[in-house]
Amino acid sequence: MGADDSVAVSTGMSAVDYVVLIGLLGGSLFIGVYHAIFRKQKSTADYLVGGRSMPLLPTAISLLASYISAILILGVPAEFSYHGSALWEAMYSNIIAFPLVAYIFVPTFYRLKLTSAYEYLELRFDNYLIRLLASLTFAMQSMLYLGVVVFAPSIALHTVSGFPYWVSMVSIGLIGTFYTAIGGLRAVVWTDVLQGVLMLGGLVAIIAIGAFRIGGLSEAFRISGEHGRLDFLNFDPNPFLRHTTLICVIGGIFNTTATFGCHQTSVQRYCSTSTLKSAVWTMLLNIPLLTLMVSLGWIAGAVVFANYAECDPVLTGHIKNKDAIVPYFVLRYFSGTPGLVGLFVASLVSASLSSVSSLLNSMAAVVWQDFFSQLSYFSKKDEQAQLNITKALGFTFGFMMIGLGFLVSNMSGLIQTTFTLVGAIQGPLLGVFLIALFVPWANKYGAVVGMLCGHALSIWITYGALNLTAKPPYLPLSDQNCANEPWFESAYGTNKTISGHFPGARYTYTPVSPVQPDM
């Protein structure tokens, strides 16, 4: 993504904005240093699972923050503005998936006192190979996701401050890597709490200022409805549609179960609490917490869209990538109040750092527990040496993450790219856990063959999807009211409305939009 892919307006942050951003980065580093020096880890158990004594509420918030990335702040409002609200209906699945995880997955894994979730597979099938395959799957999935979340904030930072993309990615990557590697899980959990508060503040600020400009939230939803952005309760059974209620709910159940039930980041969190009851409540609390945060992202999307409904910045050429619409909005309407741009950037960086730190810590746990500790050379070392090796793993994965961020920077559509890459790998991994838990006659041969076949099928479909030049169409866009905007200088003229069109869709790889407007 080049510099001209962002916005065509002047950029800049005030001194107050920089103070807010530096405060976040300094606070995160302080928490990491504090836990490295004053809460010094004595073993890998202290470092990776917090001595299994983490408090309930911070752990629940950390679990939420780990799930939320900059994709919520950038990708979700862009998804609403250009494709509609249908994907929000995945939230319906929370009332099914979270109790399933809380009362089946959590008790099973918690009682085993696991550090790596994939230890369970070896115990269940009495086979190390299936554990190895699952661990490798997790590592691949995590690195792909990390590449996206470390790149996403660079869009906004470039927009509002002029920072080169590579400076943003390297800075966020190094800071997240440093405090995670030295502070362990305790540092990750407490920085997640700080970052979660800032994420909430950033979303609320977008909603409040955007709604004020157009006359309130009710007006934002009215405008969104009139322009076809509110798409709910679509029960069309066609599996080739991009998003329908059925697709979102069914997909949401599997996605939430995979993410919170057997993903290493989640297992590591709830297994770090002091009691099984706390572990269960860590999960149940995320029903309202996750629904609230994700809903705020969609509400922000409605507000941003309503402000540009009759003068869309993609259509006019003011931005050339839909993921830049939120930074563009912030730069337009936040810059007059010192500190607000800094709050937005801090919330975006927080979303990225929370995911970065959680995944780096989890990857260090998996690679140590499932690989290094299985080798006598490492298992015979004393606790301090094992701890130092685990920290070194955290630094190593952090540097690899930065490199992958540069690869991801060539992809557009953050939300779709992430779900395509991560979902393709996540599906077979969830499958092997489901047969381990619910199919007592399943054996190691079926588990190994099933996972390998699942990966082969997923890779085939993903390869086809990522190599198509055709992209999902935008819903109708308009610049008919641009002449009334004092800031408007259109690159393409006014009084023009376009519709999305998706010629020759190859249904196997790329689903079509549930709304196909006429040209």
Side-chain angles (χ1 to χ4, degrees):
M1 179 173 179
D4 62 347
D5 287 338
S6 195
V7 300
V9 294
S10 59
T11 59
M13 289 174 63
S14 68
V16 177
D17 295 322
Y18 280 107
V19 168
V20 174
L21 178 58
I22 292 171
L24 160 69
L25 299 177
S28 298
L29 288 172
F30 171 79
I31 292 172
V33 172
Y34 172 81
H35 284 280
I37 297 176
F38 299 104
R39 299 290 302 274
K40 193 171 183 178
Q41 303 94 4
K42 298 179 181 179
S43 66
T44 55
D46 277 345
Y47 182 76
L48 297 174
V49 289
R52 303 192 189 275
S53 61
M54 297 302 298
L56 168 60
L57 186 58
T59 304
I61 295 173
S62 176
L63 187 60
L64 170 70
S66 300
Y67 177 83
I68 294 172
S69 71
I71 294 165
L72 174 65
I73 301 173
L74 292 179
V76 166
E79 173 76 12
F80 182 97
S81 296
Y82 295 97
H83 301 292
S85 64
L87 190 55
W88 178 87
E89 292 188 293
M91 291 297 98
Y92 301 154
S93 66
N94 290 350
I95 60 175
I96 299 173
F98 276 107
L100 172 68
V101 171
Y103 293 109
I104 296 179
F105 285 79
V106 172
T108 301
F109 297 153
Y110 186 88
R111 292 189 179 107
L112 293 172
K113 299 296 180 184
L114 301 179
T115 298
S116 165
Y118 314 110
E119 295 176 70
Y120 169 73
L121 296 177
E122 182 179 11
L123 295 172
R124 164 64 176 82
F125 293 110
D126 191 25
N127 183 264
Y128 176 68
L129 177 60
I130 189 65
R131 174 179 177 180
L132 177 66
L133 288 174
S135 299
L136 288 173
T137 299
F138 165 75
M140 186 182 302
Q141 175 195 43
S142 298
M143 291 309 299
L144 290 172
Y145 191 75
L146 280 169
V148 173
V149 299
V150 79
F151 162 69
S154 68
I155 300 172
L157 287 171
H158 176 77
T159 299
V160 302
S161 66
F163 287 164
Y165 295 109
W166 72 269
V167 171
S168 302
M169 285 190 286
V170 170
S171 299
I172 292 171
L174 289 179
I175 290 172
T177 299
F178 181 75
Y179 77 73
T180 302
I182 67 171
L185 184 69
R186 288 192 181 96
V188 172
V189 167
W190 288 106
T191 52
D192 281 349
V193 173
L194 168 65
Q195 292 155 5
V197 171
L198 286 171
M199 283 186 265
L200 177 63
L203 286 172
V204 169
I206 292 171
I207 293 169
I209 291 177
F212 177 77
R213 290 196 73 258
I214 58 172
L217 280 178
S218 60
E219 185 67 7
F221 285 111
R222 184 191 67 79
I223 294 171
S224 297
E226 288 181 354
H227 288 77
R229 264 57 183 181
L230 299 182
D231 181 20
F232 297 107
L233 302 180
N234 178 0
F235 294 100
D236 191 323
N238 184 356
F240 297 117
L241 296 179
R242 187 170 185 264
H243 296 306
T244 66
T245 301
L246 292 175
I247 289 172
C248 289
V249 171
I250 295 172
I253 291 172
F254 284 100
N255 181 64
T256 301
T257 303
T259 301
F260 288 91
C262 54
H263 194 275
Q264 173 63 24
T265 300
S266 299
V267 174
Q268 199 172 341
R269 290 295 185 286
Y270 58 69
C271 284
S272 71
T273 57
S274 56
T275 66
L276 175 58
K277 183 179 180 180
S278 294
V280 170
W281 275 103
T282 295
M283 198 57 59
L284 295 178
L285 284 175
N286 269 278
I287 298 176
L289 290 176
L290 179 64
T291 303
L292 171 64
M293 287 295 289
V294 173
S295 297
L296 288 176
W298 290 102
I299 294 170
V303 167
V304 170
F305 171 77
N307 276 271
Y308 292 122
E310 297 297 337
C311 190
D312 184 83
V314 169
L315 180 57
T316 62
H318 284 77
I319 63 175
K320 295 184 179 180
N321 187 312
K322 68 178 183 179
D323 296 319
I325 190 170
V326 173
Y328 182 77
F329 172 86
V330 167
L331 189 62
R332 281 288 176 198
Y333 302 120
F334 279 30
S335 56
T337 305
L340 281 183
V341 173
L343 173 62
F344 166 73
V345 174
S347 68
L348 196 60
V349 173
S350 293
S352 181
L353 285 174
S354 64
S355 296
V356 164
S357 60
S358 297
L359 282 172
L360 289 179
N361 184 258
S362 293
M363 287 190 67
V366 165
V367 172
W368 168 257
Q369 197 71 18
D370 293 342
F371 296 93
F372 282 55
S373 69
Q374 304 300 305
L375 303 174
S376 59
Y377 175 80
F378 295 103
S379 62
K380 291 179 180 179
K381 291 184 177 294
D382 60 37
E383 283 287 355
Q384 187 59 50
Q386 293 181 7
L387 179 60
N388 291 338
I389 293 169
T390 307
K391 290 182 178 182
L393 289 172
F395 279 110
T396 301
F397 293 132
F399 298 141
M400 292 172 62
M401 167 192 68
I402 295 170
L404 281 171
F406 285 96
L407 294 179
V408 172
S409 66
N410 292 317
M411 302 177 185
S412 64
L414 289 173
I415 198 169
Q416 197 67 40
T417 298
T418 302
F419 285 172
T420 300
L421 293 172
V422 175
I425 298 174
Q426 187 164 270
L429 188 57
L430 172 63
V432 75
F433 274 99
L434 290 178
I435 66 169
L437 286 165
F438 298 107
V439 185
W441 57 87
N443 58 33
K444 60 185 178 183
Y445 303 107
V448 171
V449 173
M451 178 175 283
L452 292 176
C453 290
H455 282 317
L457 180 61
S458 297
I459 290 170
W460 168 52
I461 294 175
T462 302
Y463 178 81
L466 294 179
N467 280 277
L468 281 180
T469 56
K471 301 296 180 184
Y474 292 166
L475 292 174
L477 307 175
S478 173
D479 66 356
Q480 292 187 0
N481 199 40
C482 287
N484 296 323
E485 294 286 355
W487 50 267
F488 174 70
E489 295 178 2
S490 177
Y492 299 102
T494 58
N495 297 322
K496 174 173 57 179
T497 301
I498 67 170
S499 301
H501 181 53
F502 198 10
R506 284 180 250 178
Y507 297 148
T508 301
Y509 297 116
T510 307
V512 298
S513 171
V515 178
Q516 288 292 320
D518 296 330
M519 288 295 290

